[in-house]
Amino acid sequence: MKPATIRDVAQRADVSVASVSRVLNGAGPVTEATRQRVLAAVEALQYVPHSGARSLSTSKTNAVGVILPDLYGEFFSELIRGMDVAARALGYHLIVSSSHDDADEASAALRSMRGRVDGLIVLSPHLGAANLASGLAGRTPVLLMNGGAATDGRPSIVVDNHGGAVAAVEHLIASGRQRIAHIAGPAGNLEAEARLAGYLEAMAAAGLSTMVVDGTFTKASGQEAGEALVARADRPDAVFAANDNMAVGALLAFQDAGLRVPEDVAMVGFDDIPLAGLVRPALTTLKINIAGMGRNALERLVRLIGPAADTDTACEVVHPELVVRGSSIAFPPTTGAAGVASSNKQTPSLEGEKL
Amino acid sequence: MKPATIRDVAQRADVSVASVSRVLNGAGPVTEATRQRVLAAVEALQYVPHSGARSLSTSKTNAVGVILPDLYGEFFSELIRGMDVAARALGYHLIVSSSHDDADEASAALRSMRGRVDGLIVLSPHLGAANLASGLAGRTPVLLMNGGAATDGRPSIVVDNHGGAVAAVEHLIASGRQRIAHIAGPAGNLEAEARLAGYLEAMAAAGLSTMVVDGTFTKASGQEAGEALVARADRPDAVFAANDNMAVGALLAFQDAGLRVPEDVAMVGFDDIPLAGLVRPALTTLKINIAGMGRNALERLVRLIGPAADTDTACEVVHPELVVRGSSIAFPPTTGAAGVASSNKQTPSLEGEKL
DNA sequence: CTGAAAGCGCTTACAG
DNA sequence: CTGAAAGCGCTTACAG
């Protein structure tokens, strides 16, 4: 038994398929009586419109695609969560495709989604990804979240990675640190590069010499980087990691080596993933409202799909906010307050986060 | 300028639409010369087949839906990651819909996906969800992952929550604990209930009295529960939390209260999310290969979509494995090894996890 | 307010 | 090996 079609419903309700369509779409005038009969037939037949047929007639899919480089860690799940909420509210379905480390895989995913979605959100923090995405998408609207690539004239949302990094370094300097190391993100990643550039600039501006070790945005790489820093003769008294994941890894490496945070070394991350407020000491970081950014991205894409398509060519910049927590409290304390640094207790609050 | 259709391609290649279709689908015989001409035209026109039209002709969407109760925390992102990998390998798209706390929202999501997907994976750990899902899905194959509900004759994957809980309690008893508390998951959640039941049974079997506080599977709720336990006159010497999130929250609550883990209190979670191996002390837990389970679920659903549909009525049971880490090392140590409990260092390894 | 009919873009027997 | 044509299930002017 095949699923019921609009014709079956029409027949059972003794009306034309046009009327069934009108009732179901709330478009066009219908008598209340007709309405009721149609609805009853729909119910009886368990009728669900064929989305493909509908999309063929309307040239709309009511679906948007999200192309992600990865799906590890809390950053992306938070982002998807925000998008999902907005998508549901706007009547869109969310098609996700992740694990596209390189531009090739990302473009394959993009191709496979074309024609299946009304719009795309592309997170691809690699050089050239922006052009690629816009090229491949054809007429499909694309919202770029490619972290710093030139997005000239294309709708996009980028984080002010450079400014955030500068703020991190300045905060560390202000709290009395001098030997500030940076754990960098993966080479070729534009977000990582912008954060590195911000670090280098702020250090140069302060006349401090730099110390950079490489990482890959994972906790494990942060831990390794931390171990390398611990072993150095000129051990840093502060570490700014290019994301929270690595900062947490480095935090553990230092603590495992018997060093105290923030007494011996201060630690600052980037992103403010839920975990950041949870580790001890809680991690100072550059806060991005990740889920909010996801929601915003989806809402903007949907606007892009509509008639306003061509008017939106803006590159929206999200400015991360420095959130100072226990991991970078000034040491020696600049305030008269004693004991802050020696206490192992941080604010026990989880800030209401619901991870 | 509208996107090119198969007709445009046919015209440009000077063949019929049927031939274009054959080339594109690799079905039916075509001359190499025809093939080349068609491919060239496709390339020149940037042609992408309309998925709706194709789905209308073939009655296939090449998409599967995933209905989740939530998208917080690492459990679900790991699960989706596993599904995504499998989906891509099998040529399917993944439509996700989350935040369906109650059965109503889940069924709304399910309705909206019908006709848009070839199959559904439903995670809905609520009573009645199984029947609901199967009822609403109509002819769409459904793979249930509803954690313990009766799944009689319906394809499903469930975790052995009861067995895992028993193993957790027995481990704690074996390592010398007596006053073992349980932090329960949300009421009405079948996974949570099965874990609670396992705890109660194992405690009864050992002749120990029980101590249960409520939680909601979030870190924050685990922390609150931990604070409540710390404050009790009959403070427990061990805590088994219904998931890792809550165990981590409780761990922090105990540590913030100045208690030592595992010396003063042992801690055991459930799931083995990446974070479990990362907190200090590392968390003993019941390990589920989350991404692997996701991959498996998707592969099985795709098999369900095929001709083998009706032969699969199995309820596959996943048995979690007890992984003993620092948070529940026997104390006082049963081995002669000294210092284990007093050392703050846990295994520094991140176990290669890439969060 | 309602219905007959064209058309959306594809696939697939069926002839040739 | 190739093409003409029917058909998939919907929506939407267009008449009435």
Side-chain angles (χ1 to χ4, degrees), chain A residues 11-355:
Chain A
Q11 212 164 316
R12 191 177 227 271
D14 205 34
V15 296
S16 70
V17 295
S19 291
V20 175
S21 180
R22 284 187 200 104
V23 170
L24 260 32
N25 296 304
V30 268
T31 332
E32 183 56 22
T34 307
R35 231 179 86 75
Q36 293 305 337
R37 283 221 308 288
V38 168
L39 259 23
V42 165
E43 180 64 24
L45 264 35
Q46 291 264 54
Y47 171 69
V48 178
H50 187 290
S51 71
R54 176 174 276 176
S55 133
L56 185 56
S57 298
T58 60
S59 302
K60 288 265 306 165
T61 65
N62 289 312
V64 303
V66 183
I67 295 186
L68 303 169
D70 215 329
L71 208 58
Y72 291 99
E74 298 186 298
F75 186 87
F76 292 116
S77 58
E78 282 291 294
L79 195 69
I80 294 179
R81 184 166 67 77
M83 291 179 183
D84 181 63
V85 168
R88 208 138 47 101
L90 294 169
Y92 277 82
H93 287 268
L94 212 58
I95 303 185
V96 305
S97 185
S98 66
S99 314
H100 304 293
D101 300 326
D102 53 70
D104 279 354
E105 287 193 87
S107 66
L110 207 152
R111 290 193 87 93
S112 84
M113 282 208 190
R114 251 188 85 181
R116 181 180 286 275
V117 297
D118 296 332
L120 284 161
I121 297 176
V122 177
L123 276 89
S124 189
H126 298 281
L127 203 59
N131 297 313
L132 207 73
S134 303
L136 285 179
R139 296 184 52 75
T140 309
V142 173
L143 179 66
L144 293 170
M145 299 181 74
N146 60 340
T151 58
D152 37 84
R154 302 198 198 84
S156 52
I157 299 177
V158 301
V159 171
D160 179 12
N161 294 302
H162 188 280
V166 168
V169 172
E170 288 179 347
H171 159 67
L172 287 169
I173 293 172
S175 56
R177 314 289 173 164
Q178 298 278 333
R179 300 188 310 286
I180 304 171
H182 179 58
I183 303 179
N189 183 302
L190 297 166
E191 312 252 11
E193 286 173 3
R195 290 171 194 183
L196 171 61
Y199 160 81
L200 293 174
E201 252 184 65
M203 292 296 279
L208 297 174
S209 54
T210 60
M211 193 185 314
V212 176
V213 294
D214 290 332
T216 61
F217 273 164
T218 66
K219 289 199 190 86
S221 77
Q223 194 176 35
E224 280 173 38
E227 285 163 4
L229 288 171
V230 165
R232 286 177 73 129
D234 58 338
R235 201 178 63 214
D237 62 5
V239 174
F240 165 48
N243 76 351
D244 285 349
N245 258 345
M246 295 196 295
V248 168
L251 180 68
L252 289 167
F254 276 87
Q255 290 177 334
D256 282 342
L259 296 173
R260 295 164 305 164
V261 177
E263 292 87 336
D264 300 317
V265 60
M267 198 72 64
V268 176
F270 208 112
D271 287 345
D272 198 28
I273 59 176
L275 181 57
L278 191 77
V279 291
R280 297 308 156 90
L283 189 65
T284 293
T285 190
L286 282 135
K287 178 191 179 101
I288 299 169
N289 179 349
I290 307 172
M293 187 165 72
R295 186 171 47 65
N296 177 36
L298 196 123
E299 288 170 350
R300 188 156 157 219
L301 178 64
V302 169
R303 242 173 283 135
L304 229 39
I305 291 169
D310 296 330
T311 69
D312 180 351
T313 57
C315 177
E316 193 174 337
V317 178
V318 172
H319 293 281
E321 175 201 355
L322 179 72
V323 176
V324 179
R325 299 203 184 96
S327 73
S328 71
I329 287 173
F331 190 86
T334 50
T335 70
V340 167
S342 62
S343 165
N344 204 17
K345 275 181 79 167
Q346 304 302 327
T347 56
S349 158
L350 285 175
E351 301 178 355
E353 61 108 349
K354 213 185 135 199
L355 176 66

Side-chain angles (χ1 to χ4, degrees), chain B residues 252-279:
Chain B
L252 289 166
F254 276 87
Q255 290 177 333
D256 283 341
L259 296 173
R260 295 164 306 163
V261 177
E263 292 87 335
D264 300 318
V265 60
M267 198 73 62
V268 176
F270 208 113
D271 288 344
D272 197 28
I273 59 176
L275 180 57
L278 191 76
V279 291

